Amino acid sequence: MASRFQAPRGTFDVLPAAARSRARIEATAARIFARAGYEPIATPAFEETELFERGVGRSTDIVRKEMFTFEDKGGRSITLRPEGTAPVCRAYLEHGMHKLAQPVKLSYTGPFFRHERPQAGRHRQFHQLGVEAIGTDSPLADAEAIMLLADLLAELGVPGVELRLGSLGSPAARQAYLEELKAHLRANEAELSKDVRERIELNPLRAFDADDEGTRGVMAAAPKLVERLEDADAEHFAEVRALLGGAGVDFEIDPSLVRGLDYYTRTIFSFVCAELGAQSEVGGGGRYDGLIEQLGGPPTPAIGWAAGIERILLALGEQDEAPGRDAFIAVADDGQRQRAMALAGELRNAGLAVEVDLAGRSLKGQLKHADRVGARHAAILEADGSIQLRDMRSGEQRPADASRLAEEIGGEAS
Ligand code: HAM
């Protein structure tokens, strides 16, 4: 029954088994966010293209190659959001949230879009969970944000998670460092990959991310940004490390940690899971103290992260089992079908999970179907109006009263 239509390349359908696992991940995250006071926010699936050009950065892969950008009917350039931080900051400014008590702590979940080469854990439409704490530069906020993601991954049972931590420092110190790094890259140009060589001037930090042997060799000997931090940034970073240590969060300092977005300053972090293979990052983020100003707002420090739901699912490597039903209402005689439907409605309103035959099956067929959907009971409506309640596990059957059915089924529901 295949049709010539398929989900577009890099996208996928979420079928019920996977949808259940996703719902559980989102519910766990919502609980963790609420417990720490991160209020939910939702922004549109598309924004003005310039928001991302300015926010994410014109030299990033995301803006250069990966955005789904189109003109709307009014000739405006629109982009399907590749990430959530710039949109949340746009909303923060648009709704005057800088006038609220700071920091404003927000959480979100939803679809994001990047035109990447599809592979396991990398899709063109994917889903993120994330938080942003806007309006504080305190290292406490860095530690809190990181702890939330650590808690989420632990509570979900994601195996083999490691936290990598780094600091990018202030833009000024980073500028001086970048000149030093560029000089190192230029001095070793012959060993670099073509891609890295072409971007020495535009984005030399990305060279740390390269996976070809030549570039990796050059980068092993490159100067490291964490060794070049200014005093205030170094202190900030030391404080974040001390807070995480005090909270019992394990981490590793990664001097070559870089992220694919330009807005980061000071703390950056990445939670990786070895079992994921090439796309090993389950979630990550960092501080972006200059982004709100970049978007036209007042100077406003902030920190946040996002985790990929598909990567979490992949790392968990399992799907949630279908929940059973409390009861299936079967009819021994077609004359009882109307009553069966009414009874199913009553039982559902009483909070029970109840199905009824919608396919005109014989009684034998109905009981088989009751078994298939995992019903714990079958209430069989006989031709004379009496009811037999069957325990689907033991096969035992006994007469039951319609007015007490909810109690009898509910009392035994596990
Ligand atoms: P990001 O590192 O670009 O950061 O993405 C965050 C997470 O989204 C990644 O760790 C990964 O799990 C998932 N992800 C990214 N791209 C894909 C893809 N093509 N397919 C599947 N999963 C993907 C951000 O987006 C920042 N906005 C995070 C942040 C929030 N920083 C501060 N606040």
Side-chain angles (χ1 to χ4, degrees):
M1 279 206 295
S3 138
R4 74 172 187 82
F5 296 110
Q6 292 184 340
R9 187 166 144 73
T11 72
F12 51 88
D13 300 308
V14 179
L15 301 181
R20 276 192 292 274
S21 308
R22 284 167 181 266
R24 184 171 54 84
I25 290 170
E26 291 189 347
T28 305
R31 249 191 337 268
I32 287 176
F33 297 159
R35 284 192 320 226
Y38 287 72
E39 301 267 15
I41 185 168
T43 63
F46 56 82
E47 298 270 357
E48 266 179 58
T49 301
E50 201 189 334
L51 174 69
F52 300 113
E53 288 174 346
R54 276 225 231 167
V56 173
R58 289 187 166 84
S59 71
T60 59
D61 276 355
I62 294 180
V63 170
R64 286 171 68 232
K65 305 185 200 160
E66 296 171 0
M67 297 208 299
F68 284 95
T69 296
F70 56 95
E71 252 187 31
D72 73 4
K73 290 189 167 44
R76 288 168 289 257
S77 182
I78 295 292
T79 291
L80 294 181
R81 58 180 185 181
E83 65 97 48
T85 308
V88 167
C89 290
R90 195 255 319 127
Y92 173 91
L93 288 171
E94 185 171 335
H95 302 285
M97 287 189 239
H98 57 286
K99 294 186 206 120
L100 303 175
Q102 306 293 301
V104 174
K105 301 197 295 184
L106 301 166
S107 62
Y108 53 88
T109 179
F112 293 85
F113 308 85
R114 294 183 194 174
H115 197 280
E116 297 195 81
R117 195 166 47 79
Q119 62 185 85
R122 195 204 264 164
H123 313 279
R124 291 183 175 171
Q125 176 174 340
F126 58 99
H127 299 79
Q128 286 185 347
L129 291 159
V131 301
E132 315 290 350
I134 306 176
T136 177
D137 65 359
S138 168
L140 290 164
D142 304 45
E144 179 172 275
I146 293 171
M147 281 162 65
L148 282 182
L149 183 47
D151 284 349
L152 174 64
L153 298 174
E155 200 160 321
L156 290 171
V158 178
V161 172
E162 280 171 27
L163 167 58
R164 311 241 162 100
L165 196 61
S167 176
L168 294 175
S170 65
R174 183 150 42 137
Q175 208 44 52
Y177 165 77
L178 288 178
E179 291 310 320
E180 191 185 347
L181 180 61
K182 283 185 210 169
H184 175 77
L185 291 172
R186 278 191 228 105
N188 296 282
E189 212 162 313
E191 279 126 89
L192 301 176
S193 74
K194 182 167 167 283
D195 203 40
V196 170
R197 212 180 314 132
E198 280 173 359
R199 279 201 287 164
I200 293 182
E201 296 306 318
L202 203 57
N203 197 353
L205 277 176
R206 295 295 290 182
F208 281 112
D209 252 3
D211 38 24
D212 67 284
E213 219 171 289
T215 308
R216 288 181 81 107
V218 174
M219 297 322 285
K224 305 291 186 302
L225 181 50
V226 276
E227 292 152 12
R228 301 284 192 277
L229 297 180
E230 284 174 350
D231 289 352
D233 297 330
E235 268 165 43
H236 191 277
F237 191 40
E239 189 79 16
V240 173
R241 296 193 314 258
L243 288 164
L244 290 175
V249 178
D250 290 333
F251 59 86
E252 200 182 293
I253 304 293
D254 184 346
S256 63
L257 190 61
V258 287
R259 302 199 58 75
L261 303 108
D262 274 356
Y263 49 61
Y264 291 116
T265 53
R266 294 191 158 178
T267 313
I268 50 169
F269 56 94
S270 172
F271 282 83
V272 295
C273 170
E275 276 151 67
L276 282 181
Q279 307 304 314
S280 66
E281 185 180 281
V282 249
R287 218 167 233 296
Y288 48 94
D289 292 346
L291 176 57
I292 298 226
E293 210 176 348
Q294 188 90 25
L295 299 179
T300 312
I303 176 143
W305 54 258
I309 295 184
E310 288 75 20
R311 302 245 176 117
I312 294 176
L313 282 166
L314 204 58
L316 288 175
E318 49 172 84
Q319 296 193 325
D320 290 16
E321 282 192 15
R325 314 283 188 267
D326 295 312
F328 190 94
I329 315 291
V331 296
D333 183 276
D334 279 340
Q336 294 291 325
R337 286 197 185 268
Q338 193 178 338
R339 188 160 159 251
M341 188 54 87
L343 197 55
E346 278 171 35
L347 294 172
R348 286 168 186 164
N349 289 338
L352 297 171
V354 174
E355 284 207 55
V356 66
D357 178 44
L358 301 176
R361 293 181 176 88
S362 66
L363 179 59
K364 195 170 157 217
Q366 291 173 65
L367 292 176
K368 201 168 154 199
H369 193 60
D371 208 34
R372 205 182 283 137
V373 300
R376 279 175 285 276
H377 302 88
I380 305 166
L381 309 191
E382 303 287 353
D384 64 1
S386 64
I387 301 177
Q388 289 288 322
L389 189 61
R390 176 197 283 249
D391 182 314
M392 293 298 290
R393 274 174 225 154
S394 65
E396 273 169 37
Q397 208 164 291
R398 61 190 154 86
D401 192 316
S403 63
R404 298 201 57 247
L405 207 51
E407 240 166 80
E408 291 198 39
I409 292 170
E412 291 168 29
S414 52

